[in-house]
Amino acid sequence: MREDDYQALVDEVCALLGTPATLEGRDFALIAFGAHEGDGDGTEPALDPVRRRSILGRRSSAEVRAWFESFGITRATGPVRIDPEPAAGVEHGRICLPVRHAGVVHGYIWLMDDGALDLADPRLASAMTVASRIGALLAAEEHAEARTGELLRTLLVEDERGAGGSGSRSAGEEAAAELGELLGPAASGTLALLAVLPWRTRDEAGGSGGSREAGGGPPAPVPPHVLARCLLVLPPDPARPHRKGDARDGPPALAALVRLRSADSLDPAHAAATQLLRVPLSPATAGVSAPRRGLSGAVPAWREALAAARAAAAEPGRLGPVAEWAAIGPYRLLAAVPAGADAAGDPAVRALLRPAHAELARTAEVFLDHAGQAGRTAAALGIHRQTLYYRLSRIESLTGLDLDDGTSRLLLHMALKAARL
């Protein structure tokens, strides 16, 4: 990371132009900001809601992004004046300096300005030279991030396929070795894998030209402590029948390798997950693996993270939106069921799982979640005990299971949880 480099360059722009400046990536995530002396004292434009949100929240809203992009900043090669738009929180005018390198926009420098600066001011030309230096730094960082993401994907996908011959290393082992070299000492520290599922973003939908390739760096902010990330397309669910016109692949998932301070705290992974969950277009959940030392346990950690993300989606009220592998209980076993095994389709419970019997299935699950205690179950469901007993008798009739028998309860409980997963 080059935070100090970016900050120094932004401060150089502030000093050059005598106005506050903010540097954001092309995803509008805040990178650095500088306040010229006198910022907010009446001699300089005061903070408006957009700049305040950018500095405090580290990111602009989608509405603000659309307003700024409507001025053609993604294609511009020189300064662009942005008109105020109070309805979007843009109370003050701005000048945008596109940050480009080799013809590609990598970010934007925002200058608070209500017409004091002329676009022909030679100082703006000097500021654009600084912007080019920033663009070179961002391009180099993006290239490094793309490589670490490619290696992480290879490690997670290829590691289990084994070596190509006697004494040779597998593709996953080769990827782990190179990734370790690129990440330095952090690669041998305490790590966790983070999964965000499904990962469908504005850029994937074609909003800003982001890559949809399953190994490229997803166009999203990189939270602190994230060492590498990649996009993976999961295999299709074998239990779900394929219909003509459906995508044959499973949902896309984001994998992120997170550096932890210690094995006793997953707080950095939770913070990264919270930031990343703001990006997908559709509701998503996140899962965090158990901590590992180094990269050797990356593949089992990825399985744990995926299982936790699926469990968070299965029970969002209790586990979501971010679930830890250690906290998902029976889903740890259910996630390990081999592909193609439909635990929810057991003949004993198939009838109960039909849509017409959804309320009975919910009653059975709550009853088993409460260890078969009728009083607690009736209270949780908000029904009378006699109503509960009637429903339980219907459940036994539909399933042929005896709810006084421990093994029958276990089968029903696991099948209901499998249906959720």
Side-chain angles (χ1 to χ4, degrees):
M1 299 293 288
R2 295 186 171 95
E3 288 90 346
D4 292 342
D5 293 340
Y6 294 132
Q7 187 62 57
L9 290 168
V10 169
D11 289 342
E12 185 176 337
V13 171
C14 291
L16 184 66
L17 299 172
T19 189
T22 302
L23 172 63
E24 294 181 344
R26 63 182 168 201
D27 58 2
F28 285 63
L30 180 68
I31 298 173
F33 67 93
H36 183 258
E37 290 182 5
D39 187 11
D41 67 358
T43 63
E44 305 289 345
L47 291 177
D48 65 4
V50 167
R51 186 166 190 255
R52 186 179 298 110
R53 189 185 305 118
S54 175
I55 292 173
L56 298 179
R58 315 295 295 183
R59 193 172 181 85
S60 296
S61 69
E63 294 77 14
V64 169
R65 176 175 174 170
W67 172 252
F68 288 157
E69 288 182 344
S70 71
F71 287 84
I73 61 173
T74 60
R75 302 179 300 276
T77 57
V80 178
R81 189 175 297 282
I82 307 293
D83 298 329
E85 175 53 46
V90 186
E91 295 177 352
H92 295 276
R94 286 160 167 73
I95 292 176
C96 174
L97 306 183
V99 176
R100 308 182 77 90
H101 179 74
V104 177
V105 65
H106 292 277
Y108 308 100
I109 295 175
W110 301 99
L111 309 172
M112 297 291 288
D113 177 78
D114 280 316
L117 278 171
D118 191 303
L119 293 186
D121 191 316
R123 293 178 300 167
L124 281 177
S126 299
M128 284 300 299
T129 300
V130 179
S132 296
R133 288 156 58 194
I134 294 175
L137 286 178
L138 287 172
E141 191 169 303
E142 186 174 306
H143 176 76
E145 184 194 344
R147 183 55 183 161
T148 57
E150 180 184 345
L151 292 169
L152 178 62
R153 179 178 182 273
T154 301
L155 170 60
L156 298 181
V157 171
E158 302 290 344
D159 192 67
E160 293 180 292
R161 297 184 182 179
S166 176
S168 63
R169 293 198 297 184
S170 70
E173 290 170 334
E174 294 280 0
E178 184 179 345
L179 184 59
E181 291 178 5
L182 290 176
L183 298 180
S188 58
T190 305
L191 308 171
L193 259 294
L194 170 66
V196 181
L197 180 72
W199 185 262
R200 296 187 177 93
T201 69
R202 179 176 183 268
D203 299 274
E204 284 190 305
S208 59
S211 171
R212 299 185 61 177
E213 186 178 349
V222 182
H225 306 290
V226 170
L227 300 175
R229 60 189 183 146
C230 65
L231 192 64
L232 294 168
V233 177
L234 303 181
D237 182 355
R240 190 182 300 274
H242 177 75
R243 295 179 176 85
K244 187 176 181 180
D246 288 349
R248 293 189 178 275
D249 290 326
L254 181 75
L257 183 67
V258 183
R259 177 176 52 193
L260 304 177
R261 299 184 186 93
S262 73
D264 299 324
S265 174
L266 290 171
D267 288 349
H270 278 272
T274 299
Q275 184 171 344
L276 289 169
L277 282 173
R278 300 183 188 135
V279 177
L281 288 173
S282 55
T285 55
V288 182
S289 74
R292 297 289 201 290
R293 192 78 181 173
L295 296 171
S296 60
V299 171
W302 175 237
R303 292 197 212 103
E304 292 173 0
L306 278 177
R310 292 173 61 201
E315 294 197 38
R318 185 172 70 88
L319 296 173
V322 184
E324 296 178 13
W325 163 258
I328 62 174
Y331 293 114
R332 292 203 297 267
L333 293 176
L334 290 171
V337 174
D342 187 6
D346 188 277
V349 297
R350 192 175 294 128
L352 181 63
L353 293 174
R354 291 173 183 161
H357 300 307
E359 191 59 37
L360 289 179
R362 176 171 173 266
T363 298
E365 187 173 8
V366 173
F367 176 70
L368 296 168
D369 284 347
H370 287 84
Q373 297 182 28
R376 291 176 59 202
T377 303
L381 291 170
I383 60 177
H384 194 275
R385 278 198 186 202
Q386 288 304 121
T387 303
L388 172 63
Y389 293 141
Y390 169 71
R391 291 184 183 179
L392 293 177
S393 67
R394 289 197 61 200
I395 291 165
E396 289 183 323
S397 176
L398 275 171
T399 62
L401 299 174
D402 179 2
L403 293 182
D404 289 328
D405 175 69
T407 57
S408 294
R409 286 192 186 192
L410 177 62
L411 171 62
L412 180 58
H413 207 182
M414 297 301 280
L416 291 167
K417 295 300 182 186
R420 279 189 175 275
L421 195 63

